[in-house]
Amino acid sequence: MAAGNAEREAEWWRGCVIYQIYPRSFQDSTGDGSGDLKGITARLAHVASLGVDAIWLSPFFKSPMADMGYDVSDYRDVDPMFGTLEDFDALVAEAHRLGLKLIIDQVISHSSDKHEWFVESRAGGDSAKADWYVWADAKPDGSAPNNWQSLFGGPAWEWDATRRQYYMHNFLAAQPDLNFHNPEVQDALLDTVRFWLERGVDGFRLDTVNYYFHDRWLRDNPPLAASVAGTNGATTTYAFQEHLFDKTRPENLDFLKRFRALLDEYPDRAAVGEVGDEDRSLQTLAAYTSGGDKLQMCYTFDLLGPQFSAAHVRGCVEAFENAVADGWVCWAFSNHDVVRHVSRWTRPGENPDAVAKFSIALLACLRGSICLYQGEELGLDEAELAYEDLRDPLGIRFWPGVKGRDGCRTPMVWEAGAENGGFSTGKPWLPVPQAHRDRAVDVQNGEERSVLAAYRSILALRKRHAALVGGSIRFLDAEGDVLAFVRERDGESLLCLFNFAGADAGWALPPDIAVVEPIELAVDAGGVLDEGVLALPALGCFLGRIA
């Protein structure tokens, strides 16, 4: 093997498959209705059976749970809801025994307002931590320091009667933003990262990684053009501004270098950043992953929206390939913040299982690492919840215009005939829909044509082909709603075809591709090659080895 290929093989994160676990909804071991670390440990064999390389745990740190754990009050401890540090250590050991890497969420752009750092900071005066958060005086008329908006609606500033200043919060008022311009804050946060590295974690998912720094001069954000303001998919007043000064500041690059230097002190560790940056997402991803001295990879929301077409996927992937010379991307179709992709992409009259199988085949063939969200391997759709069942502050505040994120966070279903789908013997923190119980793991295990079987088969196929894990990608011309591309590595060339349309399509082999040997894909609608023409049914896929 060439030296370059050997180097790639040593980088486990490059082309890896990550499985995201939402701890509160995975498995309850105590009967209190909330998932926990012991429950995750007990169910890891299922995750390993999928053929994934790593798991990503959403936050399990001590928290008042104002935003479901994304408001951390102690970065070095486990919330009692989820267990203990000893339970975490046991989880690490079991994951490693099963050959799984363990990635944990690091939520360091903000903390909980109950964190001891913030309690001390709001005292102001001579407090050692007075400058650890973003504080600013009111304008002469008492209004907020500038026009910045919170992603969760309304101004990004909260008046504090103790300190008699405003503090900044990009999200809930219970999530004050840390002041990354203060080197002491950076040092303290990096110390918490080291704490988990010492406990054996293999990597980190950095929440809202482009939100760390703010503009020192607190300059107003300009409005978006009138033609797009408030119509770009967001659901709050946040959508009316061009976010030039409240996030994605250039100083962040130096902090990411500090983060990477710490990570490199430990062998085989990696980080993936979450980039939420509207129209600049790919440029930000390029900056954050280039040069080998910042993050190993990032993901964006480009494929986490409602668009479902060959042109959209090709546009996103080609834009990334053109923007990022030496960086790496992690693609995902679902996660804990968006409507499940089976619900987003299934059109009237279509079989959701066919959409689920088509989607995992496509995801597995894209260039980059890929991330799965718990339950998508069962073909789970978005749960419809009543207002009284909601727990997400976003949904509670903006109902019914916004239903929130609880519909994708309902409990995992293990046993169709068990109480609450085998998730808990107590009342679950969110309801378990009957339609989800019908798709439980024990129902799909052993079913050759199930969504679960397709996931296992397609992920195993991906591992068998180096071209799919780390090869190059080259798009081919195709008419209609057909996506065609070639993956190549180490002398292996694979032709990948996907028909997004709801009707049959044909695709003629170009002159430079004379012979193709079909490779079986575990989908409901496979393409058929006949005399140089590939016939693709609706939601049809084809994978073949080019001679």
Side-chain angles (χ1 to χ4, degrees), residues 50 356-365 451-464 468 520-523:
L50 299 175
K357 294 175 185 180
F358 178 93
S359 299
I360 185 57
L362 171 63
L363 188 62
C365 289
V451 174
L452 179 57
Y455 266 70
R456 287 171 173 156
S457 175
I458 290 169
L459 293 179
L461 181 148
R462 175 182 165 95
K463 279 193 172 180
R464 291 196 299 270
L468 294 180
E520 185 174 353
L521 273 171
V523 294

Side-chain angles (χ1 to χ4, degrees), residues 385-465:
L385 303 179
Y387 176 77
E388 54 267 26
D389 291 324
L390 296 185
R391 307 295 290 273
D392 180 15
L394 193 64
I396 292 170
R397 179 176 181 183
F398 292 107
W399 180 278
V402 178
K403 294 185 176 181
R405 301 162 293 179
D406 289 326
C408 68
R409 297 176 176 182
T410 53
M412 184 72 173
V413 282
W414 302 100
E415 304 159 43
E419 184 179 9
N420 302 316
F423 165 71
S424 175
T425 57
K427 181 182 178 181
W429 76 289
L430 286 174
V432 181
Q434 181 60 47
H436 285 193
R437 289 177 59 177
D438 295 341
R439 292 179 168 273
V441 172
D442 70 338
V443 172
Q444 297 196 38
N445 263 333
E447 282 288 331
E448 291 184 2
R449 298 189 62 80
S450 68
V451 174
L452 179 57
Y455 266 70
R456 287 171 173 156
S457 175
I458 290 169
L459 293 179
L461 181 148
R462 175 182 165 95
K463 279 193 172 180
R464 291 196 299 270
H465 294 277

